[in-house]
Amino acid sequence: MNTVLKKTPKEKAGLWWKTLLVLLLLLFTTLFILNIYLNSIARSQINRALNIFLVAGGTLDRAELNLSAGQIDLSGLTINSPEAFGSHPLLKLSSLHLNLNIGTLLSDKISVNELTLKGISFVLVRNTQGELSVMNLVPLSPTDEMPPTQTEKQTSFSIPPIHIETVLFNNASLMVVDQLKKEQWTGKLDFDLQIKNLAIKDLMNGDILTGKVALALNKLNLDQLEGFSKKPLFELTNLDLIVPEINTNAKRWTIKKLHLDQLSSSIESNDAGTTNLQILANSWLPATGTGTDIQQQTAPPQTLPTLFFEDIELKSIALDYLKQIKNQSWHAGFNELDIRLEDLNIELSNIQTTSLKKLNLNLKGVAVDQPPGEKVNGKVLELEQLIINSNALDLSAPALTIQQVLLSGLHSSISVQPEGKSNLDALNQILLGTTSVNKPSKTKQTLPSILVEQIEMKESSLNYRNEMITETPLTFPLNNIQVNINQLRLFDENTKAAPASVAASFQLKQPGELPLAYFGMRANVGPIGKRIPQINAQTRMTGLKLDTLGALITTTTRRALGATGLDAGAALALNAESIKLQASVFSDEGINYNAIKMQGPLNAPSVEMGAILSGVYSRVSDGLFNIGKSGVSASGDIAFGSINVAKSVGGGAISIGKNLGESLFDVGSGLVTLDKDEVLKGLDGSSIGTLSLATDSVTSAGSAATGGLKSSVGELKGTSATERWDANIPVRYDANIKHAEEALSSMEYPPITH
């Protein structure tokens, strides 16, 4: 007889807890074993996956997983580049530390406490076929080559929001290697990055928000491109960027700090006029499709944000521009640029509203080469230092104020060739591809008025050489140029505003052992706007030797003058409607006479010119004012220069045309364009008309001392007097310029021209 054993309730309860105990023991035993071998299993599986799913495979040296704490640590991760892309690993990582909030994996928002990557380097290679290494990392499957269906295009890929409290990239680097050309090109970037409170709300749509972002760029190098010089295209030693927060949807971005140090760049242009930057950009930008494709792919216009920089400091910036012209090199650039800006506000959609609290600019070592083929000593331009300082500036305001502009060591060499073309024309041809003067745009643009409180130029020079006027080149080396301007107003139409005070001087180095000649000017200049400014000016030239003017002073004029040197002074009163100019000359033989007198409305002033000046004028008009030596008829040249012929040039009377005022101040239209031979015909006799030119009639030239110039020819006082005159040039100049200051102070402002 079979007996069925029946359990009592007490026996059932005992079996339950025994079963549970066994299960718990098995679970703890399993977890213990997994805890011992989990890291080894994880490392093995990761290495297996790297070699299965990646074309060139990879390795991981160590993996540590602490699931209970949500921590993952990886060390020695390497992902190899595909075989056709060189030996550089695509990715190397010294260590990765991830502290994850495990409980959020099942929620709608993933939370990460910390993500730290140390010693990470990424190498992107483009091979000779134009393929990128990162795009060939995973082997292609048959479905990869099939175009996506319409359903796949419309299906959105969703990633849950992610919040990371701290992201750290320490000792990170990015290198780009381009093997497309015969000569390999490389660019490398080393940086450290820290991001606080990174919130990735919608990664696919770029909805990202961060707290503080700190970027430290330690080094940036871009190789020069093939076909250009061996100078690096771009080098940067240090850049620090701090942003309090980033919101990709915000209308205003604040940058707390942008400091850049030791940046140098060599921008170069080939014979075709294409720069290395253009070639580099075009080689990496995607090819433009058809107009239909562009229309379909163009996103709707978005409002650009406003950028606000609290502190910008750019130090030790150097730029070199090299242009190849018919196998010759032409250079321009500067050695050092420092800029400091505070509270810079830039509205990207409207740059004209840019404002800032403070500006300090310091530029050093500017140099511009002479155009290729120019046989001129020195550079077209050299500048030792430029300083610009300003407080608050707002481009949208009706008025701007700049505190200081200082130019130190400005040196320039200008030459005019026998055919009338200058080195500046040649330079313009190089840079702009034209020798014509650009016509001003007819588009009316309202510019804010600018008040420059102080402009100073010191320790500067100009070397002017002209081979057109005379057979022997004329050379005028101007040294020790000094300019001081206070309270200059630009783009200002307020004629009642106070004038600027101007003081300018230079020394003229004269040929051989001749002494220095001194030039000085003192002036009051009204606001400079669309109309001719109001000007009161007093100028003084002391110690000018006739030998300096070379063939400009004819032998006949020298004999008539009976002197070797001149002091000169001029007074000018000018406004938008009329002019009054008077100049006198005092020779080293004690003769004082009036050189020129011009007075009246700008459209028809009366001009009386003395003998010595008219003689020089006849020589200079061909080289300075004429459009060439083609022998065009006088009437044709005069009409072209905005001058109307009252009667034949031989009669000596010429009336100034209605556009004189424009000719005086507009670039490209000369005051007078007379051919030399025609003017010489007009120097026979004199005529007191609107313009009087005379060489033979000395008495009509002005108020010469005691009988005029004729009576002075036989009153030469010998070499000793000339030597004393030469030795006293600096003393006389000091006295003359002091007199000019006194004379200017007595001139009424606004200028009196009647």
Side-chain angles (χ1 to χ4, degrees):
M1 176 177 164
N2 294 330
T3 304
V4 179
L5 299 177
K6 295 183 179 180
K7 304 291 184 180
T8 64
K10 186 176 181 179
E11 291 174 335
K12 290 181 179 180
L15 181 62
W16 176 85
W17 70 264
K18 290 179 181 179
T19 303
L20 180 61
L21 179 61
V22 171
L23 292 174
L24 289 174
L25 288 174
L26 289 174
L27 177 61
F28 284 127
T29 301
T30 302
L31 292 175
F32 179 76
I33 295 173
L34 287 175
N35 187 55
I36 295 176
Y37 295 102
L38 180 62
N39 294 334
S40 177
I41 294 172
R43 183 179 66 85
S44 175
Q45 291 301 314
I46 292 174
N47 278 310
R48 182 172 178 271
L50 290 174
N51 288 280
I52 290 177
F53 297 108
L54 301 181
V55 170
T59 59
L60 177 66
D61 294 341
R62 185 172 65 90
E64 293 185 5
L65 281 68
N66 188 340
L67 298 181
S68 61
Q71 294 186 2
I72 300 175
D73 290 279
L74 305 178
S75 298
L77 174 64
T78 300
I79 296 178
N80 299 320
S81 293
E83 184 177 355
F85 295 90
S87 59
H88 289 288
L90 187 143
L91 178 69
K92 284 185 68 70
L93 177 64
S94 296
S95 66
L96 177 149
H97 174 72
L98 176 67
N99 188 348
L100 177 68
N101 189 337
I102 296 293
T104 62
L105 292 177
L106 301 177
S107 66
D108 295 335
K109 181 180 180 181
I110 299 175
S111 179
V112 178
N113 298 322
E114 180 184 352
L115 174 62
T116 300
L117 298 97
K118 294 183 179 180
I120 179 172
S121 64
F122 181 80
V123 178
L124 176 65
V125 179
R126 181 167 66 174
N127 64 13
T128 53
Q129 284 75 41
E131 299 176 333
L132 298 178
S133 56
V134 69
M135 303 302 294
N136 290 268
L137 193 60
V138 179
L140 291 175
S141 64
T143 57
D144 292 335
E145 299 180 356
M146 299 176 58
T149 64
Q150 188 66 27
T151 303
E152 291 173 337
K153 290 181 180 180
Q154 295 176 354
T155 302
S156 61
F157 178 71
S158 177
I159 296 178
I162 301 173
H163 177 267
I164 308 176
E165 290 187 7
T166 303
V167 179
L168 291 174
F169 287 80
N170 290 335
N171 193 23
S173 69
L174 170 64
M175 184 166 71
V176 178
V177 179
D178 192 0
Q179 302 172 346
L180 191 61
K181 303 284 183 163
K182 180 185 297 185
E183 185 176 328
Q184 178 174 292
W185 179 87
T186 302
K188 187 176 181 182
L189 168 67
D190 297 334
F191 66 96
D192 295 322
L193 177 63
Q194 180 185 52
I195 304 175
K196 291 289 187 180
N197 294 319
L198 173 61
I200 306 175
K201 297 181 179 181
D202 189 346
L203 179 63
M204 304 308 295
N205 293 317
D207 189 359
I208 300 174
L209 177 67
T210 75
K212 180 181 178 181
V213 176
L215 171 66
L217 194 154
N218 304 314
K219 195 172 186 180
L220 173 60
N221 288 321
L222 300 181
D223 286 350
Q224 190 58 264
L225 300 183
E226 182 181 357
F228 294 93
S229 74
K230 297 302 180 181
K231 293 183 179 180
L233 172 60
F234 195 89
E235 286 185 324
L236 177 61
T237 300
N238 183 57
L239 181 146
D240 290 325
L241 175 68
I242 297 178
V243 181
E245 65 177 17
I246 294 178
N247 183 352
T248 54
N249 294 322
K251 296 181 179 179
R252 179 182 173 89
W253 290 24
T254 297
I255 295 88
K256 185 175 183 62
K257 175 184 177 182
L258 175 59
H259 285 192
L260 182 150
D261 192 14
Q262 296 185 18
L263 182 153
S264 62
S265 179
S266 180
I267 311 300
E268 303 183 14
S269 176
N270 56 26
D271 282 331
T274 306
T275 66
N276 48 4
L277 289 181
Q278 291 173 317
I279 294 175
L280 179 62
N282 292 335
S283 68
W284 288 96
L285 291 176
T288 303
T290 63
T292 304
D293 295 337
I294 294 175
Q295 186 175 3
Q296 292 177 351
Q297 297 175 4
T298 300
Q302 297 180 353
T303 302
L304 297 175
T306 297
L307 301 181
F308 179 71
F309 296 85
E310 293 184 7
D311 180 19
I312 297 180
E313 185 175 3
L314 312 179
K315 296 173 59 179
S316 300
I317 301 175
L319 174 65
D320 183 33
Y321 179 69
L322 173 63
K323 186 176 179 66
Q324 295 295 329
I325 306 168
K326 298 180 181 178
N327 296 323
Q328 296 187 62
S329 298
W330 177 82
H331 290 265
F334 54 84
N335 296 331
E336 184 176 350
L337 172 63
D338 299 332
I339 300 177
R340 182 69 182 270
L341 303 171
E342 294 182 10
D343 292 352
L344 174 63
N345 192 83
I346 304 176
E347 187 177 336
L348 296 179
S349 59
N350 187 5
I351 300 298
Q352 293 181 350
T353 62
T354 299
S355 63
L356 55 84
K357 180 181 178 181
K358 189 174 184 179
L359 164 66
N360 301 112
L361 182 146
N362 192 346
L363 176 64
K364 297 180 180 179
V366 178
V368 179
D369 279 355
Q370 293 286 350
E374 290 289 334
K375 299 178 181 179
V376 182
N377 294 328
K379 307 282 187 182
V380 170
L381 177 68
E382 288 182 287
L383 177 63
E384 294 178 8
Q385 187 174 31
L386 167 65
I387 295 176
I388 299 177
N389 293 318
S390 178
N391 290 328
L393 291 175
D394 186 351
L395 298 186
S396 63
L400 303 176
T401 299
I402 298 175
Q403 271 65 44
Q404 181 188 40
V405 177
L406 170 64
L407 297 97
S408 179
L410 175 63
H411 307 286
S412 180
S413 293
I414 299 176
S415 66
V416 179
Q417 301 300 324
E419 66 277 8
K421 183 179 179 181
S422 72
N423 57 345
L424 297 183
D425 293 330
L427 184 60
N428 194 42
Q429 176 70 33
I430 290 174
L431 299 179
L432 305 178
T434 177
T435 56
S436 61
V437 178
N438 295 328
K439 296 182 179 180
S441 174
K442 295 182 179 180
T443 303
K444 293 184 178 180
Q445 183 177 5
T446 302
L447 297 175
S449 62
I450 300 176
L451 171 63
V452 186
E453 295 184 348
Q454 181 188 18
I455 301 177
E456 181 180 1
M457 181 169 66
K458 61 182 182 179
E459 300 172 1
S460 300
S461 66
L462 169 65
N463 186 26
Y464 178 79
R465 178 184 175 90
N466 193 309
E467 300 180 20
M468 177 182 174
I469 301 176
T470 58
E471 294 182 0
T472 303
L474 293 172
T475 302
F476 300 103
L478 310 182
N479 299 318
N480 195 24
I481 299 176
Q482 309 280 346
V483 178
N484 280 280
I485 305 176
N486 294 314
Q487 305 298 315
L488 178 64
R489 299 178 184 274
L490 303 173
F491 313 114
D492 194 337
E493 304 299 327
N494 181 15
T495 58
K496 296 182 179 180
S501 63
V502 180
S505 63
F506 64 82
Q507 297 171 2
L508 172 62
K509 186 179 184 300
Q510 305 191 89
E513 300 298 324
L514 296 177
L516 294 174
Y518 292 75
F519 172 88
M521 180 187 69
R522 301 294 184 264
N524 292 325
V525 180
I528 299 176
K530 297 178 181 179
R531 306 179 67 189
I532 297 172
Q534 300 179 123
I535 300 175
N536 280 336
Q538 292 280 340
T539 61
R540 300 293 184 269
M541 170 71 83
T542 307
L544 177 65
K545 307 296 285 187
L546 298 185
D547 287 344
T548 303
L549 301 178
L552 288 177
I553 305 297
T554 63
T555 304
T556 302
T557 304
R558 288 173 184 263
R559 286 199 301 267
L561 183 60
T564 63
L566 303 170
D567 291 350
L572 170 68
L574 175 70
N575 57 39
E577 291 78 27
S578 57
I579 184 173
K580 181 179 181 181
L581 171 65
Q582 291 179 305
S584 61
V585 173
F586 189 82
S587 75
D588 58 358
E589 295 301 327
I591 302 171
N592 183 23
Y593 65 97
N594 295 328
I596 186 173
K597 181 179 180 181
M598 179 186 295
Q599 187 171 7
L602 289 179
N603 60 357
S606 63
V607 181
E608 297 178 15
M609 189 180 295
I612 180 65
L613 185 57
S614 65
V616 174
Y617 164 79
S618 69
R619 307 285 290 176
V620 176
S621 63
D622 176 39
L624 296 184
F625 304 124
N626 200 1
I627 58 175
K629 288 188 174 181
S630 57
V632 184
S633 65
S635 60
D637 285 352
I638 293 169
F640 186 86
S642 300
I643 294 178
N644 302 322
V645 178
K647 54 182 179 178
S648 65
V649 178
I654 300 175
S655 64
I656 305 300
K658 63 179 181 179
N659 293 323
L660 172 61
E662 296 179 3
S663 300
L664 279 171
F665 295 94
D666 285 356
V667 177
S669 56
L671 172 59
V672 181
T673 57
L674 300 177
D675 185 83
K676 177 174 61 179
D677 295 334
E678 296 293 338
V679 171
L680 288 177
K681 295 177 183 178
L683 296 180
D684 297 330
S686 66
S687 174
I688 307 301
T690 26
L691 176 61
S692 178
L693 306 176
T695 52
D696 297 335
S697 181
V698 179
T699 56
S700 65
S703 55
T706 316
L709 295 177
K710 288 183 178 180
S711 64
S712 67
V713 175
E715 298 177 1
L716 303 181
K717 297 179 175 60
T719 305
S720 59
T722 301
E723 291 176 349
R724 288 196 301 271
W725 189 88
D726 292 349
N728 288 329
I729 289 175
V731 176
R732 292 201 314 278
Y733 172 75
D734 291 339
N736 289 341
I737 203 65
K738 183 178 180 180
H739 179 266
E741 293 170 352
E742 295 172 352
L744 180 64
S745 64
S746 65
M747 297 177 71
E748 294 186 33
Y749 188 91
I752 304 298
T753 58
H754 55 270

